[in-house]
Amino acid sequence: MNAQRSHELAPEFASRVLRDVPMSKHTSWHVGGPADLFFTPRDSMDLASFLRQLARDVPVLWIGLGSNLLVRDGGIRGAVISTHGALGALACLSATRIRVEAGVPCGRIARQCVKWGLGPAEFFAGIPGTLGGALAMNAGAWGSDTWRHVIEVEVLDRRGMRHTRQPEHYEIGYRSVKGPDDEWFIGAQLEFERAPGANSDAIRDLLEKRKESQPIGEWSCGSVFTNPPGRHAARLIESAGLKGFRIGDASVSEKHANFIINHGAARAADVEALIAHVRDTVARVHGVELTTEVRIVGEAA
Ligand SMILES: Cc1cc2nc3c(=O)[nH]c(=O)nc-3n(C[C@H](O)[C@H](O)[C@H](O)COP(=O)(O)OP(=O)(O)OC[C@H]3O[C@@H](n4cnc5c(N)ncnc54)[C@H](O)[C@@H]3O)c2cc1C
């Protein structure tokens, strides 16, 4: 661990913050080196207190379920804040409105909305991340996306101050959200429609469809690249002959060419080299520049 001077913590946090935590345990690719500090708050007040006492020069990375994150093998300098298992409240506020904390898994939102007779929220079911990650990414599926349902979000800034913001404070696009710097989501109010006939069949059908076309159950981060306008990244990759292409223990999925699989012993460097190879090959073969959807963070080993 470097920059030790910055990592002094107030006594109430010193014993609760883990050090040198392998990020491979917290990402769905199961790769990534150690985080200097790893903190799971008790609730949003606790998280605000943690941020207030953290030296200003310590960078912070918030994570949900790490299902869209490539952490390099050298790990993360600074503090990782994990919302999953922490910010877990989910409540119905009115006939059509719910409040969800950032650490709630998307699948739980989908299932609970069915129970409340709200929809369309089924698209959340197959997204293996948290609401926080879904807000940061504008996660979506089957023609729907997260921000379509956002009424307002609650955020914390780097000093632990809480703010409420509306969608107009953000530039929202396809898998892209730009908002005020150094603020992170702790929750949101989402609006749905009354869907009295909603039942879990629709969720089951969508999950089945995913299983048919995606390598569910293998170690991946879902789609690596966004779809270029009017094109499908997976088709471009497949027709460039890249299905099955392998670097180390990482390969382009045979089932869905926009997925990269860690077969068990891949390093982040293998995955990143494969991403670069796919991008270069598609540019050479098709003249199309692919953009990564996955977020690449941390230091090389
Ligand atoms: C099998 C599989 C299928 C997938 N299918 C889809 C799909 O259909 N549609 C889709 O959109 N995505 C899909 N994904 C990708 C991924 O699940 C989504 O991007 C998801 O929203 C990421 O959520 P997370 O909690 O895992 O975020 P993480 O991966 O932990 O983080 C992703 C980004 O969000 C930031 N972030 C996380 N929490 C917060 C917060 N509270 N405040 C601010 N920033 C935060 C992180 O810093 C990071 O930059 C799939 C992934 C897998 C593995």
Side-chain angles (χ1 to χ4, degrees):
M1 192 172 76
N2 61 9
Q4 189 81 33
R5 73 191 192 295
S6 303
H7 292 170
E8 281 165 24
L9 299 167
E12 67 264 41
F13 294 106
S15 62
R16 293 170 50 212
V17 172
L18 306 175
R19 291 176 186 254
D20 297 323
V21 172
M23 289 301 293
S24 52
K25 288 188 178 165
H26 297 282
T27 58
S28 59
W29 251 325
H30 297 263
V31 298
D36 290 344
L37 305 176
F38 190 96
F39 180 58
T40 306
R42 292 186 175 129
D43 54 32
S44 58
M45 301 266 284
D46 189 42
L47 178 44
S49 307
F50 174 75
L51 287 167
R52 269 198 292 280
Q53 60 78 56
L54 193 66
R56 289 284 170 271
D57 62 345
V58 179
V60 294
L61 172 74
W62 287 46
I63 65 161
L65 280 157
S67 63
N68 206 44
L69 212 50
L70 177 60
V71 179
R72 295 193 176 101
D73 299 305
I76 307 280
R77 301 294 73 77
V80 170
I81 290 168
S82 169
T83 62
H84 178 54
L87 308 180
L90 175 56
C92 196
L93 300 181
S94 72
T96 54
R97 191 168 297 185
I98 68 174
R99 178 174 178 272
V100 190
E101 283 193 325
V104 174
C106 293
R108 196 174 141 217
I109 302 173
R111 290 190 304 276
Q112 190 57 54
C113 279
V114 165
K115 286 185 192 153
W116 283 326
L118 294 175
E122 297 83 353
F123 73 95
F124 273 126
I127 299 175
T130 60
L131 176 75
L135 289 168
M137 298 301 308
N138 195 18
W142 313 112
S144 218
D145 60 33
T146 304
W147 277 83
R148 197 169 301 183
H149 298 281
V150 172
I151 298 296
E152 65 179 36
V153 291
E154 295 156 51
V155 298
L156 283 182
D157 67 22
R158 185 61 180 76
R159 291 167 302 133
M161 296 289 292
R162 203 180 179 112
H163 309 270
T164 299
R165 305 222 179 274
Q166 281 68 41
E168 51 269 29
H169 292 109
Y170 297 85
E171 265 175 58
I172 298 153
Y174 160 59
R175 304 292 174 271
S176 145
V177 178
K178 294 196 184 73
D181 286 340
D182 287 342
E183 287 186 0
W184 297 271
F185 302 109
I186 53 172
Q189 288 193 24
L190 305 179
E191 180 84 6
F192 295 97
E193 289 163 25
R194 294 299 308 158
N199 62 56
S200 50
D201 292 354
I203 291 180
R204 210 181 39 244
D205 291 350
L206 289 183
L207 293 179
E208 278 304 316
K209 271 198 206 162
R210 267 183 194 268
K211 264 198 209 154
E212 284 163 20
S213 60
Q214 299 178 0
I216 302 302
E218 297 194 68
W219 290 354
S220 83
C221 253
S223 291
V224 173
F225 299 99
T226 53
N227 289 320
R231 313 289 291 267
H232 279 99
R235 281 186 210 143
L236 293 168
I237 298 166
E238 181 172 356
S239 59
L242 287 163
K243 268 193 168 178
F245 190 88
R246 191 169 183 125
I247 294 183
D249 217 14
S251 77
V252 175
S253 166
E254 296 278 0
K255 196 163 184 182
H256 190 304
N258 200 11
F259 280 50
I260 286 178
I261 306 298
N262 172 6
H263 296 278
R267 296 168 310 136
D270 300 327
V271 176
E272 198 169 4
L274 190 48
I275 290 173
H277 178 77
V278 169
R279 191 195 275 124
D280 291 349
T281 307
V282 167
R284 183 167 45 74
V285 173
H286 296 295
V288 177
E289 283 294 329
L290 291 177
T291 303
T292 42
E293 175 180 323
V294 294
R295 302 285 176 89
I296 303 175
V297 297
E299 298 192 354

